[in-house]
Amino acid sequence: MAPPLLPLSSLAGKLTLSFTGAVQVPVSEPPPTLPPEGAVVVPAPPPATPPPAVPPPVDPFPAAPAISSAEMRREVDDAARRSAPAPVARPSLLRATEKRHFFSLFVGGSKSLRGGYAYFPGMDFKLEAAIGGHSRNRPNLAGAAVLQVRSGFPLTSFTFAPRLQWDVPILPEYAIYLTTTLTAGYRFSSYAGGGISVEDYGSPGSNIVAHGGVAAVGFGASTIVGERLLLSFRPVNLEVEGSALGIGVHWDILGGIGVIW
């Protein structure tokens, strides 16, 4: 006996389930829509940004800090000093120089305090010439060669000596110096025979030469004018001489003029 036939509705439902379950078509996104040719494309606006921070208002007329009268006076003086025109520097005639060499000529008198052979009171004539230069490393120290002539009847003497000299500035901006000299050297003297005893020194009218030495220390002042001219004054120059004729002490007063190069 044949099996019973299934109902048609039941068969149709199974076919439908099998058909829909076997084939599943994925759903895709629709393609983008392109603007028509020639249309103007407007870009999307950028994202909105927050507005910048606004600084607090500033008072255009702030209150001035309180200052004392002394500070105000100082500010006024400083402002006046800054606004004043700078003084024009003028070269001074009495100005220092870097030139180191010098030649000087002194003229004056010499008086015997002890010893000596001057027959007449007063002072003998004295002439002095010196040439030298200052040290490069110690500009206040100088060395010089000195020639001196002293003349007074019946004495005429010649001195050859080296000298050390210290120039200490009193007013450096005006080249005024306190000068100290130390001199020591050889001296020979010529004495007229008419003033010397015949028994000791020969016949009348003969000249006698005495050899000896001399040492002297002097104090004075000097200045430089226009970096070229040297003016000096030495009111104290004490010297001691010794020879076969004895020991003499003399006091010189000398004034000089010179040149610097």
Side-chain angles (χ1 to χ4, degrees):
M1 181 175 174
L5 296 177
L6 296 174
L8 183 59
S9 60
S10 176
L11 183 61
K14 291 182 178 180
L15 291 177
T16 302
L17 291 176
S18 63
F19 179 77
T20 57
V23 181
Q24 294 182 358
V25 179
V27 179
S28 61
E29 296 181 358
T33 303
L34 297 178
E37 186 178 358
V40 178
V41 178
V42 179
T49 57
V54 179
V58 179
D59 188 3
F61 303 101
I67 59 176
S68 63
S69 58
E71 294 178 351
M72 183 180 298
R73 188 179 303 106
R74 186 164 51 252
E75 291 290 338
V76 172
D77 294 342
D78 293 342
R81 192 161 42 250
R82 287 192 298 267
S83 62
V88 179
R90 297 181 180 179
S92 172
L93 287 178
L94 304 180
R95 61 183 181 273
T97 178
E98 295 183 356
K99 299 178 176 66
R100 299 186 298 114
H101 301 91
F102 62 88
F103 171 78
S104 58
L105 187 65
F106 287 83
V107 177
S110 178
K111 184 175 180 61
S112 297
L113 302 179
R114 181 186 183 279
Y117 293 89
Y119 285 172
F120 304 101
M123 306 184 73
D124 295 339
F125 173 77
K126 191 166 189 178
L127 178 68
E128 176 186 291
I131 183 170
H134 287 79
S135 171
R136 185 183 300 274
N137 297 327
R138 303 183 65 180
N140 292 340
L141 179 64
V146 179
L147 169 63
Q148 294 178 345
V149 178
R150 179 184 177 188
S151 178
F153 183 82
L155 169 69
T156 301
S157 62
F158 301 87
T159 304
F160 302 92
R163 168 178 289 169
L164 286 178
Q165 177 175 316
W166 291 268
D167 295 306
V168 179
I170 302 175
L171 298 173
E173 63 273 17
Y174 294 107
I176 300 176
Y177 303 93
L178 178 64
T179 302
T180 303
T181 59
L182 179 62
T183 309
Y186 164 73
R187 172 175 288 179
F188 76 93
S189 302
S190 174
Y191 298 86
I196 305 297
S197 64
V198 178
E199 291 80 4
D200 295 335
Y201 300 106
S203 59
S206 64
N207 291 334
I208 302 166
V209 176
H211 303 273
V214 62
V217 58
F219 304 95
S222 60
T223 184
I224 300 173
V225 181
E227 297 187 348
R228 287 291 183 182
L229 184 62
L230 177 64
L231 300 178
S232 303
F233 179 59
R234 199 185 316 153
V236 178
N237 191 79
L238 296 175
E239 65 176 25
V240 178
E241 65 172 346
S243 65
L245 299 177
I247 297 176
V249 179
H250 310 287
W251 172 35
D252 305 333
I253 299 178
L254 302 171
I257 188 172
V259 62
I260 298 176
W261 72 94

